Every structure is written in C-alpha cells, then in structure tokens.
Amino acid sequence: MILVTGATGTVGGEVVRLLAGRGERVLAMTREPAKVEESPGVEVVRGDFDDPASLAGAARGADALFLLSAPGPWVARHDEAMVAAARAEGVRKVVKVSAIGTGEEREGVTVGDWHLAGERALRSGELDWTILRPSSFASNALGWAPQILRGQPVPNTMGDGRQGVVDPRDVAEVAVTALTSEEHVRAVLTLTGPELLSVPDMAKVLGETLGRTVETVEVPLEVYRESLIAAGVDPGFADIAVDGSRTVARGGNARLTGDVERVLGRAPRTFATWAADHRTAFVSG
C-alpha cells in the first residue's frame, strides 16, 4: 500500500496514475476527498498537513509514502508532520520531492531551506528514503498560457539564465521506481532534463510548436516582487521567488545530471516533447 500526498497535483496525480497502472494499491491523500473521483486500485483518503490526526489516519496501513507539499514557507512544517505520522504508523519507505540545490551555499546564503527540515527528518531515523531534487518543471510554462493566448509576450524574470528544465512526468516515473524497488534507498537524485534552456529558449520552442513567434519581455525583479505581493503572495514567499529568479539569471542553476537516465534507462524528455504534448493549453478555442 502506497500513500501519495499531493495526489491531485501535476506530479502527484501522475504518480497515482502510474502506480495504479502497475497494479499497486494506492491511497491518494487530499484535504477534500469528496471532490476527487476514485478509480480502480485507488482509495481516496482525507489528510491535511495542518491536522496531525488526519495524517495518522491517512498513513495507517501504508508501507510507503510519496511526500510532496505545495511550495511555500509551510513546507518544513508539513514535511515534519507527515514524516512523524509515517513513523508512528509503521511506514517503511518515504520518497520526498525536494528541490535542486537544497542545502547548498550560494553567496553566503543556504539554498532551498524550505526542504532542509524534511530532508533532515528523513535522514535522522530508520526509514528507508529517497530524496528527489528536480530542476525547474516544464509545466511552469503553463503559467504563460494567458499571455500566449492573447498574443502577448511572456514575462521573463531570469534574463538569459538557463536551467535543466525537467518534464514532471519524468519526476513521477523516477518516484514510482523509487517507491516500488530497493535500488535507490538513501539516495539523493538531482533530476534535470537533457538540455539547458532559458526563458527565451523555451518561448522559441513553444513558438515552433504553435507555428508562430512567441516573444518574451524582461521584467525587473522589483516589479516582479510587487506583482506577486499585489496578487496576495506572502512577502516572504515573494522574496524567495525573486531570489530564485536572480540565482537563475546569474547562472546558478545551469546544471545537468544523468540521474533520470540512470534510473529510467532512457534519456529524459525534452521541452519540445512536453510542449507538443501540451499544445492545446496554448491554443484558443
């Protein structure tokens, strides 16, 4: 029995689908089970990261846990609560989605501190664990759909900084492999795509997919921060988002690894493949 948190999200939903397709028994955790349709092999269970009793109930009977919380300052609290519930309920293995660069020092600042507490909680006990540190998700480009549909340039807060943009489906496949085998216990896997891409690079690929030019427009970081706060984002969250863009712009995330290929036995999907598979999101009508 495998408990999947974030079961309605991009990666978690794919993990649920893949596990069920392999015949695994799956517990899909969500705060609102009534809004989720059950499917063969999948039992929907209630779990709220801020309700420890619900986490214990969700973890009861599970042998393994896929741990993913929505990004934000609350990640450390959520991870620690879920790991504690997993230990108390006898879960044997945890696969956690962290972030590329977690724990590294850059210009005197520790990167990825949201995920550090969760990583440390896993390392400190007897649980079998695998930590996945993906680079920027290809699916982040879906946030540009409104501009592209209106024929407007997509915002660029990262200049020409490049990243090993990774398809979330590859992250999900790696997670499923780690959950269902003993090959990657106590391993930290940094997951990237096969090529380094900037925002203008990604816009060019999307344009080629759509058969028209997709432009970009530079957005100063102070303007980016103000827009996040105006949209209701917590100032602390906004500061971290701005720092992330600054790091990428300076080349701080320009790295590729072979971990996806090593685990899956094939090359990671390209951004062009992701774009082709999600073309309809950028086409009106």
Side-chain angles (χ1 to χ4, degrees), residues 77-220:
R77 184 176 76 250
H78 289 180
D79 281 354
E80 290 176 330
M82 191 72 247
V83 171
R87 282 203 175 98
E89 295 300 326
V91 172
R92 180 177 61 85
K93 175 189 290 186
V94 178
V95 175
K96 170 180 162 50
V97 177
S98 182
I100 192 168
T102 292
E104 296 178 2
E105 292 288 333
R106 296 179 189 163
E107 299 179 0
V109 177
T110 301
V111 177
D113 56 346
W114 289 346
H115 291 283
L116 277 177
E119 289 196 9
R120 288 169 177 162
L122 290 178
R123 294 170 185 267
S124 66
E126 299 303 316
L127 286 167
D128 288 342
W129 53 262
T130 305
I131 293 170
L132 310 182
R133 293 178 177 172
S135 188
S136 179
F137 286 165
S139 54
N140 291 344
L142 291 172
W144 302 336
Q147 288 88 358
I148 292 175
L149 288 168
R150 293 193 296 264
Q152 298 173 345
V154 300
N156 179 15
T157 63
M158 303 176 190
D160 292 324
R162 300 191 299 164
Q163 305 183 78
V165 178
V166 64
D167 191 315
R169 294 173 296 185
D170 286 343
V171 177
E173 285 189 38
V174 171
V176 167
T177 300
L179 285 164
T180 57
S181 76
E182 303 303 318
E183 297 179 26
H184 307 287
V185 172
R186 296 186 175 258
V188 178
L189 304 174
T190 298
L191 309 180
T192 73
E195 57 195 337
L196 293 173
L197 298 171
S198 65
V199 170
D201 293 333
M202 296 166 70
K204 181 180 178 182
V205 171
L206 284 171
E208 291 169 350
T209 301
L210 299 173
R212 61 183 178 84
T213 300
V214 175
E215 303 283 356
T216 65
V217 59
E218 298 284 331
V219 177

